[in-house]
Amino acid sequence: MAKVKSKFVCQNCGYESAGYLGKCPDCGSWSSFIEEYTGIESKNIPIEISDSNPPVQLSKIETNSEIRIKTKISEFDRVLGGGIVKGSLVLIAGDPGIGKSTILLQASGKLCEAEKRVLYISAEESASQIKLRAERLGVKSDNLYIYPQTNFELIKKHIEEMSPDLVIVDSIQAIYTNTVQSSAGSVSQIRECCNYLMGIAKSNNISIIIIGHVTKEGNIAGPKVLEHMVDTVIQFEGDKYKSYRILRSVKNRFGNTSEVGIFEMGGDGLKEIINPSQMFLKEYGQTKTPGSTIIVTNEGTRPLLVEIQALVGTTPYPAPRRVANGVDLSRLLQILAVLEKRIGLNLSKQDVYLNVIGGMDVDEPAADLGIALAIITCVRDVVCDPQTAIVGEIGLSGEIRGVNHIEKRITEAQKLGFKRIIIPEANEIQNEIKGIEIIKVKRIVEAITKAIAKNDLHV
Ligand SMILES: Nc1ncnc2c1ncn2[C@@H]1O[C@H](COP(=O)(O)OP(=O)(O)O)[C@@H](O)[C@H]1O
Ligand SMILES: [Mg+2]
Ligand SMILES: [Zn+2]
């Protein structure tokens, strides 16, 4: 009766097939199928099905706003939407070495100081390795329990016995359940373990944070399925060569997405950066070079000033190169097309490199005008006024379109000492903002004359 079944599973997206496939019909990856076995045993562990909550009329539902546990690391709480929701399952994903274990150990330490009990399951490192890190980070509390274990059944037993406020699983790729016969880290294992953890979180009302590594391609290793299963997904990003790290929420059932938290990595752990715009602009304005502009982007609920740099030069190649770091390439291509068509900038023999300083990803159209002006000033070899911030989306006919949260953006630029801000004509400002000149523009050409530094205007 206990027949072992086998199936082939795409290790990228979790697509299942009865036979081996060279190319995944779902996500298109090659040679991603691995044979995995599922025992009949898996049926013995029910995934918390209870019929205790039948359908109810909307008006009869009682609301109790979700209870959040605050870690007091405000940048971390912000990304989570104001703290860890009780009974939620959170995934923190990032490259190895980026600082996932560090931030979670620090957060655990803070929670334990506030008399919460935390169970830290270490599936990758020994207890003494964790102890060493804890000493380095200054984390010490008797409310923190370290449990080096990779077996899910034992982990489950201890979570249920201890019933802590928060469980950390470091990492999901290193644990395995007896009910799946493939090795730890395979899609089936990750999926089952994640499923079981979700069950534990919901039925015991315990918050669980799981750590997941990211593959070379930048996907959360093992699978996209993981993203769909958890309540909240937080990406841990950063520039490998710099010390700052960015936490970004990419999915949140209990809060705003695209919220970011910014940290600096040091010997004693991750420190919050309270004024990130200041940090991103640290090196700005010291040298006045053509091809550099300041934009105000909106990340989640917070405006951020970042520097955009463009480099344009004659290409040695038959086809010119377009490279975009921190900006979507197709967005750059669209802006270039508009510049060629609408203001006659000839870029057909020019390489264009674009860079967002500080390793941020800027993926909102409000950055368009700043990008365009970086390119234009580089081509014309003029300097953009360093006291002027730039905001605006560019439409296909070269018009500047309105952006959201304009007042927040203007206020942030003013706070950081900018004297002027260029914004779309279409944006209306309800409340007066003092200390900054607001310049409204309708078309790119207008923005050019307004943005260029006074002593460079003759060019
Ligand atoms: N002794 C140390 N002094 C300073 N920084 C350290 C030290 N040890 C580790 N780090 C920092 O911590 C990072 C590793 O963090 P960790 O939390 O283990 O990453 P992850 O869990 O994401 O793989 C290293 O890349 C380094 O930046
Ligand atoms: Mg780690
Ligand atoms: Zn696939």
Side-chain angles (χ1 to χ4, degrees):
M1 220 179 80
K3 212 172 124 211
V4 174
K5 282 195 217 142
S6 102
K7 60 191 175 192
F8 289 83
V9 183
C10 169
Q11 299 296 304
N12 185 39
C13 69
Y15 184 87
E16 291 175 10
S17 150
Y20 180 81
L21 297 174
K23 184 183 179 194
C24 175
D26 195 17
C27 70
S29 28
W30 289 91
S31 316
S32 60
F33 281 80
I34 283 185
E35 188 170 19
E36 295 188 354
Y37 306 91
T38 36
I40 203 105
E41 295 157 82
S42 61
K43 300 226 169 70
N44 296 340
I45 299 190
I47 306 168
E48 315 304 337
I49 302 170
S50 69
D51 197 21
S52 58
N53 43 355
V56 261
Q57 282 170 297
L58 181 63
S59 61
K60 301 263 164 65
I61 299 174
E62 289 173 26
T63 52
N64 46 338
S65 56
E66 67 280 335
I67 305 163
R68 290 179 187 269
I69 318 174
K70 285 207 194 309
T71 64
K72 304 270 169 54
I73 302 177
S74 61
E75 292 289 291
F76 187 56
D77 288 339
R78 169 212 297 282
V79 176
L80 287 163
I84 307 162
V85 173
K86 226 168 156 26
S88 69
L89 184 63
V90 179
L91 168 70
I92 296 211
D95 291 321
I98 196 93
K100 302 180 294 298
S101 306
T102 306
I103 186 79
L104 290 180
L105 195 58
Q106 284 180 281
S108 303
K110 288 271 191 195
L111 285 176
C112 291
E113 280 170 26
E115 299 306 319
K116 301 270 188 236
R117 291 160 76 235
V118 178
L119 176 61
Y120 193 111
I121 293 147
S122 176
E124 293 182 352
E125 293 165 300
S126 68
S128 61
Q129 277 174 300
I130 304 276
K131 176 79 189 270
L132 278 176
R133 179 179 294 130
E135 278 172 359
R136 178 160 59 84
L137 304 176
V139 171
K140 47 173 186 283
S141 170
D142 281 341
N143 289 327
L144 178 58
Y145 292 76
I146 309 294
Y147 182 37
Q149 183 55 260
T150 51
N151 180 270
F152 174 77
E153 279 68 28
L154 287 171
I155 292 171
K156 176 176 168 59
K157 173 172 163 270
H158 283 281
I159 296 177
E160 287 177 344
E161 271 175 21
M162 188 184 152
S163 188
D165 295 289
L166 174 69
V167 176
I168 287 164
V169 180
D170 185 359
S171 67
I172 187 80
Q173 275 110 347
I175 63 171
Y176 71 95
T177 161
N178 293 335
T179 59
V180 176
Q181 285 169 13
S182 39
S183 56
S186 65
V187 169
S188 301
Q189 279 289 0
I190 291 175
R191 185 161 44 190
E192 284 309 283
C193 289
C194 187
N195 225 335
Y196 293 156
L197 286 168
M198 191 63 153
I200 296 176
K202 298 290 175 236
S203 55
N204 300 291
N205 205 21
I206 296 174
S207 312
I208 304 182
I209 301 184
I210 55 184
I211 288 179
H213 295 298
V214 165
T215 58
K216 278 187 245 80
E217 296 80 38
N219 297 323
I220 297 168
K224 293 214 181 66
V225 286
L226 206 51
E227 277 188 55
H228 299 308
M229 289 165 74
V230 299
D231 294 312
T232 302
V233 181
I234 290 176
Q235 284 274 10
F236 209 157
E237 305 163 356
D239 192 326
K240 259 184 238 143
Y241 309 101
K242 295 267 170 70
S243 58
Y244 40 83
R245 304 279 184 271
I246 298 162
L247 273 184
R248 181 191 295 277
S249 100
V250 288
K251 166 184 174 179
N252 197 348
R253 284 192 184 139
F254 309 106
N256 203 342
T257 52
S258 82
E259 199 69 83
V260 297
I262 298 169
F263 297 87
E264 189 163 12
M265 176 67 97
D268 52 354
L270 289 152
K271 266 204 238 15
E272 301 167 64
I273 295 186
I274 306 296
N275 196 337
S277 295
Q278 212 153 41
M279 183 197 71
F280 285 125
L281 300 184
K282 223 163 31 191
E283 292 161 50
Y284 177 71
Q286 291 167 3
T287 49
K288 287 184 186 154
T289 40
S292 152
T293 53
I294 298 292
I295 60 156
V296 192
T297 167
N298 203 58
E299 291 289 341
T301 56
R302 173 167 64 178
L304 262 185
L305 276 86
V306 286
E307 182 181 352
I308 305 271
Q309 279 190 338
L311 184 65
V312 182
T314 311
T315 184
Y317 308 104
R321 313 191 76 185
R322 272 89 177 89
V323 179
N325 277 319
V327 173
D328 189 28
L329 182 62
S330 59
R331 197 82 210 166
L332 172 64
L333 296 178
Q334 183 177 321
I335 294 169
L336 293 178
V338 174
L339 293 183
E340 293 203 301
K341 180 83 186 169
R342 304 291 170 205
I343 68 165
L345 208 61
N346 186 359
L347 298 165
S348 60
K349 299 269 187 307
Q350 308 281 315
D351 288 334
V352 178
Y353 297 87
L354 193 82
N355 197 13
V356 179
I357 305 294
M360 276 290 295
D361 277 335
V362 176
D363 54 9
E364 58 157 1
D368 289 356
L369 186 57
I371 294 171
L373 287 172
I375 295 162
I376 295 163
T377 55
C378 188
V379 171
R380 303 219 177 138
D381 204 26
V382 292
V383 177
C384 221
D385 176 35
Q387 306 268 36
T388 303
I390 296 154
V391 176
E393 177 180 347
I394 296 179
L396 289 181
S397 63
E399 83 280 18
I400 312 295
R401 308 179 71 99
V403 302
N404 57 7
H405 305 296
I406 190 69
E407 291 182 19
K408 268 204 225 163
R409 297 181 204 250
I410 299 174
T411 310
E412 178 76 2
Q414 187 268 334
K415 267 198 284 185
L416 279 143
F418 282 80
K419 296 279 178 281
R420 280 166 294 276
I421 184 164
I422 296 180
I423 67 164
E425 173 88 38
N427 272 118
E428 273 178 40
I429 294 155
Q430 314 288 353
N431 307 300
E432 191 196 355
I433 301 164
K434 288 208 174 90
I436 188 163
E437 183 190 348
I438 296 165
I439 302 165
K440 291 191 163 185
V441 293
K442 266 202 213 128
R443 311 200 61 84
I444 301 175
V445 266
E446 248 177 277
I448 300 173
T449 47
K450 299 273 163 63
I452 289 168
K454 293 256 162 1
N455 45 357
D456 258 349
L457 259 184
H458 60 277
V459 187

